[in-house]
Amino acid sequence: MAPKYAPSLRSCLAPLLLFLQTGFIVIYAFNFEIKDKVDGNTLSNFFTEFMDVNVMVILGFGFLCTFPVRYGFSGSGFNLLVAAIATQWAIILNNIESLYYRRKIRLDMESLVVAELCTASALVSIGAMLGKTNPVQLILISLLEVSGFILNKWLLQSFLKLQLVNSIMMLHIFGALFGLMLTWIVCWKGSEEPFEKERSDRKSGLFSMLGAVFLWMFWPSFISVLVHDSPERKLWVVCSTYLALAVSAVVAVVVSVLSSPKGKLNLIHMQSCIFAGGVAVGVSISVVHQPWEAMTIGFVAAIVSAIGFRYLKSHMLLAFHCHDTCAILSTHGLPGLLGWLAHLLLQIKDYDDPTMAIRFAVFHICTLLITITLSLSMGITTGLLLKWNFWRPPQHNKCFDDQAFWEFPHLAVRK
């Protein structure tokens, strides 16, 4: 007989989603219109890159979250739900300033792309809480995280005059730190012990690796989609990102073998580290000018990420009771911080005037401090909200289990 689970979705999830979606429809009805003047060639090129980003957000992150053996439905299905809700919310928040000045928001392809990139920051954060929340909590996390990230992006662009692509690429640092604070605050008694169902098998590991491959393949579009300076610059961004990804994939294999007691490859280990170079080079892409620079960043990022995945996740659980399901600190946080450091060093190297170098260093450090401060504070606030029993979080022995939320006809009790 199948175990009994609390039937909480009907009373919580459906009303929340209907309320949010109705509210979004009303907002879009009165404040949005489709941009009427569009260049055909620009639209065609942008649509291709938009689809690449869409594949990463839906298929890449979705399949990547299916590695728990009994959490495949939830890992992929809830990822789609969160992406759909968070993207609509991000479009609204990104265009509030336009609404103030022009009374109407003109929707175009770039608006969709920027919104999906903001949504990616929420998906990074949710990786830390994977398997330990219900869908209502995931919706709340995504709305608050996207709000915080867009506020961070606005602060960096308005006060520190960062370019859009540079402020967006801080999503790895922001999402990782937000997720870590969230899982640290929400942790409950017994979370320092391994979850019974937090394991993978051959089939779930294969699907998860498929998600990692999707991310690896389309990562150059993820970085270059907002680069509009010139075709030459976009080509260089794509080439640099690919070289960093290629190097990080090779180094991830090497470190995985060397750090294994039996000298064998670990699939979950590899899939979390093969795109570390893409994360790091994305944060520093505006100052990377040589192929060897991109490859060196990818090399170091893969080593940092792989070693962090092997050792840091378990030590954080023991020392701080911080259960990071998808190891987002080593997958996104550490490579993102490495990319920030590479950006600082490479930019200072290019300055001939020491005064300008010091000025840039101060502004660049302020960029990191603002991102860290806002991500930690938003993560703590969201975590405190999620600790309420009102949200009915899953019990410890019901975590990482699809049966809590999905129908399984073959397990139904027949009368």
Side-chain angles (χ1 to χ4, degrees), residues 301-408:
I303 293 176
V304 170
S305 178
I307 294 177
F309 183 88
R310 175 68 73 178
Y311 302 109
L312 197 57
K313 180 179 178 180
S314 58
H315 283 76
M316 287 182 60
L317 181 60
L318 293 174
F320 304 107
H321 296 173
C322 183
H323 183 273
D324 182 5
T325 304
C326 293
I328 61 171
L329 177 61
S330 57
T331 305
H332 295 273
L334 294 181
L337 290 171
L338 175 67
W340 175 88
L341 180 61
H343 190 162
L344 175 64
L345 297 178
L346 291 174
Q347 186 67 65
I348 289 177
K349 178 178 70 71
D350 292 338
Y351 279 120
D352 296 326
D353 185 0
T355 304
M356 292 298 296
I358 294 173
R359 184 179 180 183
F360 169 79
V362 171
F363 273 82
H364 197 59
I365 293 171
C366 289
T367 299
L368 183 64
L369 291 178
I370 291 173
T371 302
I372 291 176
T373 302
L374 195 54
S375 61
L376 295 181
S377 59
M378 287 295 295
I380 292 172
T381 304
T382 307
L384 293 175
L385 288 174
L386 291 184
K387 284 182 75 71
W388 294 355
N389 291 328
F390 172 79
W391 306 109
R392 289 194 265 183
Q395 301 173 7
H396 188 278
N397 61 340
K398 299 296 189 294
C399 292
F400 298 94
D401 197 337
D402 282 333
Q403 281 185 258
F405 311 111
W406 299 84
E407 288 187 356
F408 288 85

Side-chain angles (χ1 to χ4, degrees), residues 241-310:
T241 306
Y242 180 83
L243 289 173
L245 286 167
V247 172
S248 64
V250 174
V251 176
V253 173
V254 174
V255 178
S256 180
V257 172
L258 294 178
S259 60
S260 172
K262 297 182 179 180
K264 295 184 178 181
L265 291 169
N266 185 312
L267 186 64
I268 303 298
H269 188 182
M270 277 188 55
Q271 71 191 27
S272 299
C273 306
I274 59 174
F275 45 83
V279 172
V281 83
V283 178
S284 58
I285 194 63
S286 59
V287 294
V288 176
H289 303 301
Q290 298 294 332
W292 70 267
E293 294 174 346
M295 298 172 77
T296 302
I297 292 173
F299 185 93
V300 179
I303 293 176
V304 170
S305 178
I307 294 177
F309 183 88
R310 175 68 73 178

Side-chain angles (χ1 to χ4, degrees), residues 8 88 180 194 375 409:
S8 60
Q88 295 178 72
L180 286 176
S375 61

Side-chain angles (χ1 to χ4, degrees), residues 6-21 74 77-78 81-82 85 133-140 142-143 390-392 404-406:
S8 60
L9 296 187
R10 179 174 295 175
S11 61
C12 296
L13 182 62
L16 175 64
L17 291 179
L18 285 175
F19 172 77
L20 289 174
Q21 193 57 73
S74 300
F78 292 159
L81 175 62
V82 166
I85 290 291
T133 53
N134 61 40
V136 174
Q137 291 176 304
L138 291 178
I139 296 298
L140 178 65
S142 64
L143 294 178
F390 172 79
W391 306 109
R392 289 194 265 183
F405 311 111
W406 299 84

Side-chain angles (χ1 to χ4, degrees), residues 20-29 31-32 84-100 105 107 111-112 114-116 118-119 143 146-147 150 153:
L20 289 174
Q21 193 57 73
T22 304
F24 290 160
I25 291 173
V26 171
I27 293 173
Y28 278 73
N31 300 295
F32 280 80
I85 290 291
T87 301
Q88 295 178 72
W89 180 235
I91 291 173
I92 296 172
L93 294 182
N94 279 323
N95 292 280
I96 285 180
E97 194 172 357
S98 299
L99 182 63
Y100 177 78
I105 298 173
L107 197 61
S111 301
L112 298 180
V114 173
E116 284 215 317
C118 294
T119 298
L143 294 178
V146 166
S147 302
I150 291 176
K153 178 173 71 70

Side-chain angles (χ1 to χ4, degrees), residues 26-230:
V26 171
I27 293 173
Y28 278 73
F30 288 99
N31 300 295
F32 280 80
E33 61 185 13
I34 303 297
K35 192 174 182 180
D36 49 3
K37 295 181 180 180
V38 181
D39 179 70
N41 293 330
T42 303
L43 177 62
S44 178
N45 295 333
F46 222 136
F47 178 76
T48 302
E49 294 178 315
F50 163 73
M51 288 305 299
D52 290 349
V53 175
N54 207 28
V55 168
M56 289 184 66
V57 170
I58 305 302
L59 292 181
F61 282 103
F63 280 121
L64 190 65
C65 294
T66 60
F67 68 89
V69 66
R70 298 182 63 178
Y71 204 69
F73 284 20
S74 300
S76 57
F78 292 159
N79 178 86
L80 175 60
L81 175 62
V82 166
I85 290 291
T87 301
Q88 295 178 72
W89 180 235
I91 291 173
I92 296 172
L93 294 182
N94 279 323
N95 292 280
I96 285 180
E97 194 172 357
S98 299
L99 182 63
Y100 177 78
Y101 288 109
R102 293 185 293 193
R103 305 299 180 188
K104 278 285 187 178
I105 298 173
R106 293 188 175 181
L107 197 61
D108 58 9
M109 197 66 69
E110 183 171 352
S111 301
L112 298 180
V113 170
V114 173
E116 284 215 317
L117 292 174
C118 294
T119 298
S121 68
L123 298 179
V124 170
S125 299
I126 287 172
M129 296 293 294
L130 184 71
K132 300 170 290 187
T133 53
N134 61 40
V136 174
Q137 291 176 304
L138 291 178
I139 296 298
L140 178 65
I141 292 170
S142 64
L143 294 178
L144 292 175
E145 203 279 348
V146 166
S147 302
F149 178 72
I150 291 176
L151 175 60
N152 184 74
K153 178 173 71 70
W154 179 80
L155 291 173
L156 297 182
Q157 290 182 257
S158 300
F159 295 99
L160 298 182
K161 305 303 179 184
L162 253 67
Q163 296 179 355
L164 176 60
V165 63
N166 291 335
S167 62
I168 286 283
M169 285 302 116
M170 296 298 286
L171 71 90
H172 304 287
I173 300 174
F174 188 97
L177 296 179
F178 181 99
L180 286 176
M181 292 308 300
L182 188 61
T183 190
W184 179 61
I185 293 293
V186 176
C187 72
W188 55 86
K189 186 178 180 180
S191 62
E192 66 274 8
E193 299 294 331
F195 286 91
E196 178 186 355
K197 300 164 187 174
E198 189 191 3
R199 65 183 191 277
S200 62
D201 63 3
R202 183 175 298 179
K203 183 183 296 185
S204 64
L206 181 61
F207 274 105
S208 185
M209 188 63 189
L210 180 63
V213 170
F214 274 124
L215 291 173
W216 194 91
M217 288 173 57
F218 294 107
W219 205 278
S221 295
F222 189 79
I223 305 298
S224 66
V225 65
L226 296 178
V227 177
H228 306 306
D229 300 347
S230 64

